[in-house]
Amino acid sequence: MSEDHANCLFCRIARGQIPSRMVYEDEDLVVFHDIHPAAPIHLLIVPRRHFSSLIDAGPDDLALLGKMLLLAPRLALEQGATDGFRVVVNNGAGGGQEVFHSHFHVLGGPRPWRSMSPGR
Ligand code: 5GP
Ligand code: ZN
């Protein structure tokens, strides 16, 4: 872990230095509930390794990104999203990203959902 990321919010959550409602952990990933949910089920799938967004991902991240996507349906279902779910990935300020440690949002559950548009 580089010193540069000592104060990164999601690095700190992944290291257990900031509490979260964790639902899944392995050597590569942590998954926890969003603190400000936009839907009844709102999870964040977060790699332990810090990279800012998909803009900074490369071929070495292929397996990790596939693992994140394949985990989404499993955890959505476990959390009660029985009729489908949505994956949202905001990339860069223009993409509405607010926490600059790459993550996938997994949203599900009964409507209404809050808008996730930038500048909400
Ligand atoms: P982004 O806009 O970067 O794609 O999404 C960042 C998400 O992180 C937001 O949905 C926001 O509610 C969530 N978030 C921000 N701070 C915290 C925190 O301290 N704990 C948790 N669990 N979620 C957070
Ligand atoms: Zn980080």
Side-chain angles (χ1 to χ4, degrees), residues 14 22 24-32 44-49 51 63-72 75 102 104:
M22 198 68 73
Y24 176 90
E25 288 190 68
D26 68 20
E27 65 277 20
D28 301 315
L29 303 172
V30 295
V31 184
F32 50 87
L44 299 173
I45 302 182
V46 178
R48 289 189 187 274
R49 189 173 77 72
F51 58 103
L64 178 67
L65 293 169
K67 185 172 179 176
M68 291 167 75
L69 273 180
L70 288 176
L71 197 55
L75 295 183
S102 182
F104 290 2

Side-chain angles (χ1 to χ4, degrees), residues 66-118:
K67 185 172 179 176
M68 291 167 75
L69 273 180
L70 288 176
L71 197 55
R74 178 181 139 195
L75 295 183
L77 196 59
E78 277 180 22
Q79 293 296 317
T82 51
D83 62 347
F85 67 95
R86 180 177 296 173
V87 175
V88 174
V89 189
N90 300 322
N91 295 281
Q97 188 174 6
E98 292 178 351
V99 176
F100 289 88
H101 176 131
S102 182
H103 55 279
F104 290 2
H105 298 255
V106 177
L107 301 121
R111 301 306 199 269
W113 294 0
R114 182 168 55 74
S115 166
M116 286 192 63
S117 311

Side-chain angles (χ1 to χ4, degrees), residues 3-66:
E3 278 300 304
D4 297 344
H5 308 130
N7 292 320
C8 168
L9 176 63
F10 285 176
C11 282
R12 297 190 69 196
I13 289 177
R15 291 197 294 262
Q17 295 169 338
I18 292 177
S20 67
R21 290 174 57 215
M22 198 68 73
V23 300
Y24 176 90
E25 288 190 68
D26 68 20
E27 65 277 20
D28 301 315
L29 303 172
V30 295
V31 184
F32 50 87
H33 289 274
D34 196 295
I35 205 166
H36 187 208
I41 297 159
H42 187 167
L43 304 175
L44 299 173
I45 302 182
V46 178
R48 289 189 187 274
R49 189 173 77 72
H50 182 103
F51 58 103
S52 299
S53 76
L54 292 178
I55 298 163
D56 299 308
D60 289 351
D61 299 308
L62 191 60
L64 178 67
L65 293 169

